[in-house]
Amino acid sequence: MNWTDKDKEYVWHPFTPQSGLREAINIVRGEGVYLFDENGKKYLDAISSWWVNLHGHSNPYIATKISEQLNKLEHSIFSGFTHPGAVELAERLIKHLPDNQKKIFYSDNGSTAVEVALKMVLQYWHNKDQSKTIFIAFENAYHGDTFGSMSVGARNVFNNAFENLLFEVKYISVPTNENFTEVKKQLSDFIKQGTVAGFIFEPLVQGAAGMVMYKEEHLEELISTCRENNVITIADEVMTGFGRTGKFFASDFLKNKPDIFCLSKGLTGGFMASGVTSCAGFIHDAYVSEDKTKTFFHGHSYTANALTCCAALASLDLLERKETQDQIEMITLSHSSFIKRLNSPRLKDVRMKGTIIAFELNTAEHTHYLNKAAPEITEFFLKKGIILRPLGNIFYIIPPYVITKTELEEIYSAIEEFLK
Ligand SMILES: *Cc1c(COP(=O)(O)O)cnc(C)c1O
């Protein structure tokens, strides 16, 4: 049997219907924005392999750093012990995060970064002897696939089967100029009920919802309302972090800073699974007590793994370089001028924020994720050697920052041809 046949035999892939399977493409090598299959065919990875890759595949700088780390220390227990990589990464992340962020808690991925945030908030109130257990979230929200992160996500086809087991969450609409007065009222009304522990949101861009974007002024006001009413705010920057929106974090567009941040995806430049939850000093203070029952009893076997910390530090080195910042600006400017030349009746909406650009198709169907447009989009671009995995009738570009103008142009031209 060849790899694809064996894959069919033994492997169960994520988010993949198990009937009528298209053969998985066997990727054997990566370089820059390209992935190469076993026959040498190359694919331009326009979506950074599910939004994780920042500096290109098999980036030599990060690869070398990790290989050096491998011979020093691969992993060590992180309770009662520490290591230089974890400390340096915490310090550097704190420097990049807003001033109110004081502590870094490590975990394994985006969902766990969110779980940690939710548990941190719930136990914060518990430690203060207050019974606040309700979270507020946006409609369309996606925060991960574990039970807590599913619970604060929108109820949809992703979690139908688990609906009865998810905890109670109050949803407010994603703000627009038209509905904003109503959204503020929804938020205040929920807060008035007195049991709201926190408000979680994907700042400015809701990824899995289909790159749904909303204004910073609106988020700013919602955060103020929370602050005035002792509701803890959680920015899930798992997708938006590390330059995607044009700034280091999406929250850098805000004057009012969230209390907790969840980071993952771009954290290690796309090399390794890792998650971080950072928090403001006042949250950590509620855990500083002689009373041992106030301890945050949470941790993962691989918490602060030395290789993932090393990958994250190497990725930060690259991100802090002027060349990378210039690339982020170049991508943003290219997207803006591409939007101007687009004019197709097939498009219902085009939107962008920094390096993210999304195209929403006019389709007869209103269903979103399972929209029949999706397989057609995937196939069209794959034939052209471009990976553009759509979310229903919405497709988007979220490229590695090493992409060149020419490579961007190749994607744009393919999109224009698709829209004809
Ligand atoms: C991807 C994503 C998550 C979940 O991260 P995983 O690493 O896939 O568990 C959480 N929140 C947001 C905003 C995401 O985009």
Side-chain angles (χ1 to χ4, degrees):
M1 275 201 279
N2 62 25
W3 291 112
T4 24
D5 291 341
K6 281 194 197 171
D7 175 85
K8 265 196 170 164
E9 181 83 17
Y10 300 117
V11 186
W12 190 346
H13 290 265
F15 288 97
T16 307
Q18 294 298 296
S19 151
L21 276 178
R22 187 172 58 68
E23 279 188 357
I25 297 166
N26 186 30
I27 297 297
V28 294
R29 191 168 77 80
E31 187 183 339
V33 292
Y34 293 103
L35 291 171
F36 296 81
D37 73 13
E38 58 191 352
N39 303 314
K41 178 170 174 172
K42 64 176 187 177
Y43 300 87
L44 205 172
D45 187 358
I47 56 163
S48 298
S49 281
W50 256 349
W51 326 343
V52 299
N53 190 290
L54 299 188
H55 312 290
H57 290 285
S58 301
N59 179 284
Y61 179 79
I62 304 178
T64 306
K65 289 282 183 181
I66 297 172
S67 68
E68 287 165 4
Q69 180 64 40
L70 265 169
N71 296 311
K72 268 189 275 180
L73 172 71
E74 86 302 352
H75 181 68
S76 65
I77 178 172
F78 205 62
S79 183
F81 294 83
T82 193
H83 60 86
V87 179
E88 187 189 341
L89 180 58
E91 183 184 23
R92 278 173 72 182
L93 286 173
I94 292 279
K95 280 191 183 139
H96 280 289
L97 284 160
D99 289 345
N100 67 343
Q101 296 300 292
K102 299 294 182 210
K103 291 277 179 189
I104 296 290
F105 194 99
Y106 289 106
S107 64
D108 298 338
N109 56 64
S111 302
T112 56
V114 170
E115 291 290 335
V116 167
L118 301 174
K119 286 177 71 175
M120 234 178 220
V121 169
L122 291 172
Q123 195 178 335
Y124 168 86
W125 292 116
H126 179 84
N127 283 0
K128 289 178 132 350
D129 288 323
Q130 294 198 40
S131 70
K132 294 194 180 193
T133 56
I134 302 287
F135 283 97
I136 295 175
F138 278 130
E139 284 165 5
N140 311 329
Y142 176 78
H143 296 291
D145 293 339
T146 51
F147 267 84
S149 61
M150 262 200 299
S151 293
V152 288
R155 302 296 194 261
N156 56 29
V157 63
F158 288 6
N159 51 45
N160 277 168
F162 319 106
E163 201 171 337
N164 294 336
L165 298 170
L166 302 180
F167 58 70
E168 188 184 349
V169 169
K170 306 286 188 194
Y171 296 96
I172 61 176
S173 310
V174 179
T176 61
N177 287 341
E178 291 71 40
N179 74 2
F180 192 54
T181 317
E182 176 55 25
V183 176
K184 277 195 293 187
K185 190 171 175 314
Q186 290 171 342
L187 180 71
S188 312
D189 287 351
F190 288 136
I191 293 176
K192 271 187 208 136
Q193 295 171 12
T195 51
V196 175
F199 168 38
I200 183 166
F201 49 85
E202 294 158 88
L204 311 186
V205 187
Q206 294 185 299
M211 303 298 165
V212 172
M213 302 180 186
Y214 60 96
K215 287 188 168 165
E216 55 220 54
E217 302 92 274
H218 291 154
L219 182 56
E220 193 94 70
E221 267 197 61
L222 300 177
I223 292 176
S224 305
T225 306
C226 286
R227 185 137 305 147
E228 284 155 19
N229 293 283
N230 289 320
V231 168
I232 295 174
T233 49
I234 306 170
D236 176 355
E237 294 236 19
V238 168
M239 190 280 288
T240 52
F242 305 102
R244 291 299 187 194
T245 62
K247 297 212 181 201
F248 207 95
F249 294 112
S251 302
D252 293 342
F253 286 95
L254 306 171
K255 288 184 286 293
N256 244 322
K257 304 302 183 187
D259 302 313
I260 294 184
F261 284 75
C262 305
L263 310 174
S264 183
K265 295 212 164 96
L267 175 61
T268 64
F271 269 67
M272 286 176 162
S274 180
V276 152
T277 309
S278 73
C279 72
F282 79 91
I283 293 171
H284 178 258
D285 290 346
Y287 290 83
V288 182
S289 167
E290 293 295 309
D291 178 355
K292 297 270 188 298
T293 66
K294 295 198 171 174
T295 307
F296 190 45
F297 292 108
H298 186 106
H300 300 275
S301 318
Y302 282 92
T303 292
N305 173 262
L307 298 172
T308 65
C309 290
C310 169
L313 283 167
S315 176
L316 276 185
D317 289 345
L318 297 179
L319 209 49
E320 286 164 359
R321 286 186 186 165
K322 184 168 182 300
E323 298 94 289
T324 310
Q325 295 307 315
D326 289 348
Q327 278 291 108
I328 290 175
E329 205 180 314
M330 181 280 285
I331 298 166
T332 306
L333 291 174
S334 302
H335 285 349
S336 324
S337 55
F338 179 50
I339 282 190
K340 288 194 196 102
R341 77 182 205 223
L342 268 180
N343 174 20
S344 163
R346 287 194 73 188
L347 280 177
K348 186 168 161 196
D349 189 33
V350 183
R351 45 187 180 262
M352 69 165 282
K353 184 84 188 165
T355 68
I356 309 168
I357 182 167
F359 311 87
E360 184 166 351
L361 292 178
N362 263 319
T363 49
E365 261 184 300
H366 286 296
T367 57
H368 163 219
Y369 193 73
L370 299 178
N371 195 296
K372 291 192 194 69
E376 184 207 342
I377 302 171
T378 308
E379 289 307 321
F380 179 90
F381 288 102
L382 270 184
K383 281 216 182 86
K384 299 206 156 300
I386 298 172
I387 305 177
L388 268 187
R389 191 188 154 90
L391 293 154
N393 60 329
I394 298 161
F395 60 98
Y396 53 88
I397 311 174
I398 178 167
Y401 303 147
V402 292
I403 197 164
T404 62
K405 264 195 165 142
T406 319
E407 288 156 349
L408 273 174
E409 194 51 48
E410 188 187 323
I411 308 173
Y412 297 154
S413 309
I415 290 175
E416 282 178 317
E417 198 180 320
F418 174 79
L419 291 173
K420 270 192 194 139

